[in-house]
Amino acid sequence: MLARSSLRASRALGATKTSATRTATRNASTQSSSESAGSWKNAALASSSTALAIGSVAWYYYQYGRPMHAMTPAEEGLHATQYPWEHEKFTKTFDHAALRRGFQVYREVCASCHSLSRIPYRSLVGNFMTVDEAKALAEENEYDTEPNDEGEIEKRPGKLSDYIPAPYKNDEAARAANNGALPPDLSLMVKARHGGCNYIFSLLTGYPDEPPAGAVVQSGLNFNPYFPGTGIAMARVLYDGLVEYEDGTPATTSQMAKDVVEFLNWSAEPEMDDRKRMGWKVIAVGSVLFAISVWVKRYKWANIKTRKMLYNNPYAQQNATKHPGSVHRR
Amino acid sequence: MAGVLSGIYSTFVRRNYVFLSTIFVGAFATQIAFNTGANAIWDSINRGRQWKDIKHKYMEAEDDE
């Protein structure tokens, strides 16, 4: 069998060889006459059409293939530097001492322009303030009461259940006080901007002493390379020593920026600590259950996986029984 | 081994009400043990970062006043 198939293969090889030589000889005889006359024309035609093909592909790519940007790099803003935030690690909670410092920065600096409308005083308790501190803080502000018997709305001191008050009555008042620019609410700011913590930190610390040569800064705006468009209505607000931390941490610009950014991350994701801890528990329990389910599957399938299939050819058996001597006879 | 197994069987499994209570009590015990252990690991990874680690500073300060 093997000998026969190899014989066939070599015969096929021989056939192709003979046909190849035959065509070669035929071509040689037909081409020889016109070869010298048409050669430079052929070459010119071939190279010009190749050049045309390459050129049109290049032109097409230049026209339509390049990445498109609706905005110039200045309009996009500088990409924020990646910082190794400790609280962004999968196994780390917020540093609650930093949250306390950051809240102090928010209260003493940012709160005069930015609201923090999603944070009630009660959520400060047990995160970075004691009950008494938070109560005292709430009582510093006045809130409207429910209408009394005469339908008058009076003022009462704040309670733990009240939300941190906004600096302006409404957006129009905020715009009017800030040159027409609205200081956005900071509660969810970390989630609301690309780059999150990195962006806000870069923004707060990224004001150069003066704008670079050639940069156009509209009046009323400040140059900040990280802000899309580079002209931001918020001036630099953090300067070394602006606040005095009660725990003695030196209040440098970057320290304050880091603390307030971590605080804003907390205000955007107050559930983060619990979420991470819960996530690890789910992974732990889930992997045990997964291991058990793998074991159960193998246990249930053990019989099926280890059985052997035997095929007894009934025809051969029949013959073997009918003519016991037949195999030996041949 | 067989003695231990049949011992377990006759104590916990043979009477249904005992079997059921074993499962319920066991589930609660396992959950409490798991949570306590997991939280202990978590708190040791995050030592000094959480409010419960730093609140004594501010609680004591109030007592002084």
Side-chain angles (χ1 to χ4, degrees):
Chain A
M1 180 64 196
L2 182 76
R4 209 188 300 157
S5 68
S6 58
L7 197 74
R8 206 188 296 135
S10 64
R11 213 188 295 141
L13 235 160
T16 49
K17 209 194 285 168
T18 47
S19 71
T21 40
R22 217 178 294 137
T23 44
T25 34
R26 198 198 297 131
N27 281 354
S29 63
T30 46
Q31 264 183 358
S32 58
S33 58
S34 62
E35 201 174 292
S36 53
S39 72
W40 72 269
K41 278 183 189 167
N42 277 348
L45 204 66
S47 40
S48 64
S49 59
T50 308
L52 186 71
I54 292 175
S56 54
V57 167
W59 173 81
Y60 190 84
Y61 179 79
Y62 177 79
Q63 207 63 297
Y64 303 110
R66 290 177 305 162
M68 303 271 282
H69 296 285
M71 297 199 284
T72 62
E75 284 167 336
E76 298 271 7
L78 200 58
H79 279 209
T81 317
Q82 299 281 321
Y83 292 101
W85 298 96
E86 193 71 7
H87 72 265
E88 285 184 352
K89 293 181 180 164
F90 285 172
T91 56
K92 293 288 182 169
T93 64
F94 288 117
D95 181 358
H96 287 242
L99 296 185
R100 194 179 163 95
R101 291 194 298 270
F103 181 56
Q104 185 185 349
V105 174
Y106 166 76
R107 221 156 29 102
E108 294 184 13
V109 185
C110 322
S112 56
C113 300
H114 291 278
S115 57
L116 195 68
S117 61
R118 281 161 197 272
I119 305 299
Y121 288 102
R122 62 184 154 79
S123 66
L124 313 180
V125 178
N127 275 311
F128 45 84
M129 283 207 156
T130 64
V131 184
D132 298 325
E133 284 170 332
K135 269 186 182 160
L137 206 61
E139 282 164 8
E140 285 176 13
N141 300 294
E142 288 193 324
Y143 290 83
D144 288 349
T145 56
E146 292 287 298
N148 63 9
D149 292 345
E150 278 94 53
E152 304 297 329
I153 291 175
E154 289 166 354
K155 292 289 181 186
R156 60 162 173 81
K159 298 185 284 193
L160 281 182
S161 56
D162 287 317
Y163 284 76
I164 291 177
Y168 301 107
K169 284 198 297 288
N170 45 50
D171 286 1
E172 285 69 23
R175 281 207 177 83
N178 285 286
N179 241 330
L182 173 70
D185 187 83
L186 292 184
S187 314
L188 298 170
M189 189 50 82
V190 167
K191 280 180 174 172
R193 291 291 181 275
H194 284 287
C197 290
N198 292 320
Y199 168 68
I200 298 178
F201 183 89
S202 299
L203 187 77
L204 292 175
T205 57
Y207 290 90
D209 288 337
E210 43 189 73
V216 185
V217 187
Q218 283 180 41
S219 72
L221 295 187
N222 305 272
F223 182 85
N224 190 316
Y226 296 98
F227 187 70
T230 68
I232 181 170
M234 173 170 74
R236 177 176 172 181
V237 285
L238 295 177
Y239 293 91
D240 287 352
L242 190 63
V243 305
E244 196 174 328
Y245 285 137
E246 57 188 339
D247 59 4
T249 309
T252 59
T253 301
S254 55
Q255 178 70 45
M256 287 184 290
K258 177 211 159 265
D259 289 341
V260 80
V261 164
E262 187 159 347
F263 167 73
L264 291 178
N265 199 160
W266 170 83
S267 72
E269 295 179 282
E271 80 293 348
M272 189 195 80
D273 291 359
D274 283 335
R275 170 161 54 77
K276 284 181 184 168
R277 189 179 52 183
M278 189 61 80
W280 282 111
K281 286 181 184 175
V282 168
I283 290 172
V285 173
S287 44
V288 169
L289 292 181
F290 178 70
I292 291 177
S293 74
V294 168
W295 180 84
V296 168
K297 183 262 165 188
R298 292 172 69 97
Y299 177 75
K300 297 276 185 197
W301 279 72
N303 282 337
I304 299 167
K305 289 280 192 185
T306 54
R307 74 186 167 180
K308 238 177 214 160
M309 304 273 240
L310 285 180
Y311 179 64
N312 289 323
N313 188 340
Y315 176 74
Q317 255 173 357
Q318 240 175 23
N319 281 350
T321 45
K322 266 185 188 165
H323 313 283
S326 62
V327 183
H328 303 287
R329 207 186 296 153
R330 209 192 292 162
Chain B
M1 191 62 199
V4 178
L5 279 185
S6 65
I8 291 175
Y9 180 82
S10 54
T11 347
F12 293 112
V13 185
R14 199 168 48 188
R15 276 147 303 175
N16 190 48
Y17 69 94
V18 180
F19 189 39
L20 207 64
S21 337
T22 309
I23 290 171
F24 273 62
V25 172
F28 275 108
T30 310
Q31 191 181 23
I32 289 167
F34 174 77
N35 275 333
T36 315
N39 289 346
I41 296 172
W42 182 254
D43 290 345
S44 80
I45 292 174
N46 289 290
R47 180 167 297 131
R49 297 177 70 79
Q50 301 183 82
W51 173 243
K52 60 179 159 227
D53 301 328
I54 57 168
K55 73 174 176 187
H56 62 272
K57 292 185 202 162
Y58 310 105
M59 296 297 204
E60 274 165 21
E62 268 160 40
D63 290 347
D64 295 343
E65 283 161 16

